[in-house]
Amino acid sequence: MISGRCAACRYLRRRCPSDCIFAPYFPPNNPQRFASVHRIYGASNVARMLQQLPPDLRAQAADTLYYEAECRVENPVYGCVGVLSRLHEQIEEAESELAKTRANIVLNSDVGQQSQVQQIDDEVEDNSSLLQAQTIVGQTQFGSSF
Amino acid sequence: MAGGNGTSPCASCKLLRRRCAQDCIFAPYFPSDDPHKFAIVHKVFGASNVSKMLQELPVHQRTDAVSSLVYEANARVRDPVYGCVGAISCLQNQVSELQMQLAVAQAEILCIQMQQESTVLPSQPIDSCIDNERTYFLNNSLPQYLNFPSSSSSNVIHDSLKMEGIFGHDMVS
C-alpha cells in the first residue's frame, strides 16, 4: 500500500514490503531522519548493518546511526569525534578546577585550625595576666596587713 | 593496474579495482600500504559517500575528515549497535560526576569560610552544608531517545584516548 510506505521507501521511491528492514525505525512522519542517515551511510549500508544485528538491537543501532549522521552533517570535518574531543577538554578542565578547589579546602582548613589555636593561646594569656594581677593585688593587701 | 603516472594505485582504487587517476580524490589519504584504512571506511560509509564528503570540503580539511571517518568506522565495526555514541555517553557521565564533585567541594569551602567568619554563632556541621548542595548536573546533550548502558563503550573509550595520536594537534576549533 503506497500510503503506508516508511520514510526510507518514500525517499527511495519504491514499494515498502511488509518485511521492510527500515520500516520499524524510519517512520513516515520523520522523513529527515532517513534522509540524514542515507546521506552519510547510504541505504544499502544501513540495511546491511541493521540486518546483521538481532532484531532487539536494531532500534538502538538506528538511533545511534542517526545521531552520528547528524553530528557529521553539522560538523563535516570531525563529526561526533568533535563531540568526543570537546568532552575530553571539559573533563580536563573540571578535574583541574576540582584539584584547585580541594587544595583550597585544605588551605582554609589549616588556616581555620591555626586561628582556633591562636584564640586558645590568647585566652590562656588573658587568664594568666588576670591571675598575676590578682596575685599582685593579694600580695599588696597581705603585705599591708603585716 | 597502475596509477595514472605509473605509480602504484591507492588503497581505494585497489579495493575498487579501478584505474587510479592522477587526481584521484582518495589517493592522498588512503595510501596503498594501508589497505585496511580504506576497507573499513568503505564498509561503513561506502566509497561514493566518502568521495562526496571529501569533495564538499576544502583540501586543507580533508586529512582530518578522513581521520575522523576512519575513527568512527572503527568504532562502528567494533560496536555495531552504539558506535562512537557509547564513548560519548560515558564521557558525559564523567563530566556530570566531576561537576557534582566540584559543586560539593565549592560548598565545603563556603561552609569553612562561614565558620571562620562566624565566631559568635554556633558552628554548623560541614556535612549539612554539603548535603544541601548535592544537586546533579545532568547536562546530557544526547537526545532522549538514546538510552543505553555505558558498559558498552569500554572498547571505544580506549580509542577515544588516542585521538591526539590520530590527529596530532588540537582539532577542536
Side-chain angles (χ1 to χ4, degrees), chain A residues 4-9 14 16-29 33-34 50 62:
Chain A
R5 285 188 298 174
C6 69
C9 293
R14 68 182 198 187
C16 190
S18 56
D19 60 348
C20 175
I21 186 77
F22 299 115
Y25 321 111
F26 298 98
N29 61 351
R33 179 175 157 102
F34 182 78
L50 291 177

Side-chain angles (χ1 to χ4, degrees), chain B residues 67-103:
Chain B
S67 297
S68 68
L69 286 169
V70 170
Y71 182 88
E72 284 189 32
N74 273 304
R76 181 59 62 173
V77 165
R78 204 166 315 130
D79 189 343
V81 180
Y82 299 111
C84 277
V85 180
I88 291 175
S89 173
C90 186
L91 292 179
Q92 284 183 333
N93 288 339
Q94 284 185 39
V95 169
S96 297
E97 177 63 30
L98 283 168
Q99 287 175 337
M100 187 193 72
Q101 290 179 21
L102 188 59

Side-chain angles (χ1 to χ4, degrees), chain A residues 41-42 45 48 60-61 63-64 66-68 72 77-78 80-81 85 88 91 98 102 104-105 108 112, chain B residues 43 45-46 49 64-65 68 71-72 76 81-82 84 94 101 109 116 142 145 147 160-161 163 171-172:
Chain A
Y41 297 101
N45 284 332
R48 194 194 67 244
Q60 198 65 71
D63 285 342
T64 59
Y66 173 51
Y67 177 80
E68 288 192 28
R72 181 60 62 174
V77 181
Y78 298 111
C80 62
V81 176
S85 179
H88 276 296
I91 287 171
L98 186 61
R102 285 179 172 163
N104 276 336
I105 288 172
N108 277 278
Chain B
K43 181 175 181 179
F45 296 101
N49 289 329
D64 280 355
S68 68
Y71 182 88
E72 284 189 32
R76 181 59 62 173
V81 180
Y82 299 111
C84 277
Q94 284 185 39
Q101 290 179 21
I109 280 194
Q116 289 170 356
L142 287 176
Y145 60 77
N147 182 24
S160 74
L161 299 175
M163 277 195 303
M171 41 174 268
V172 178

Side-chain angles (χ1 to χ4, degrees), chain B residues 102-134:
Chain B
L102 188 59
V104 167
Q106 286 168 341
E108 193 174 334
I109 280 194
L110 202 59
C111 287
I112 292 173
Q113 288 170 346
M114 281 166 55
Q115 284 185 353
Q116 289 170 356
E117 288 166 7
S118 166
T119 56
V120 177
L121 294 174
S123 64
Q124 185 178 7
I126 292 178
D127 286 346
S128 65
C129 288
I130 295 170
D131 284 343
N132 293 333
E133 295 296 329
R134 283 193 186 278

Side-chain angles (χ1 to χ4, degrees), chain A residues 47-100:
Chain A
R48 194 194 67 244
M49 285 192 267
L50 291 177
Q51 273 162 354
Q52 286 173 352
L53 289 170
D56 59 320
L57 294 176
R58 289 176 186 169
Q60 198 65 71
D63 285 342
T64 59
L65 284 169
Y66 173 51
Y67 177 80
E68 288 192 28
E70 285 285 282
C71 284
R72 181 60 62 174
V73 168
E74 195 175 306
N75 187 343
V77 181
Y78 298 111
C80 62
V81 176
V83 176
L84 281 166
S85 179
R86 275 193 297 275
L87 286 169
H88 276 296
E89 283 187 359
Q90 283 182 30
I91 287 171
E92 276 180 31
E93 285 170 12
E95 284 176 342
S96 170
E97 193 61 33
L98 186 61
K100 273 190 274 185

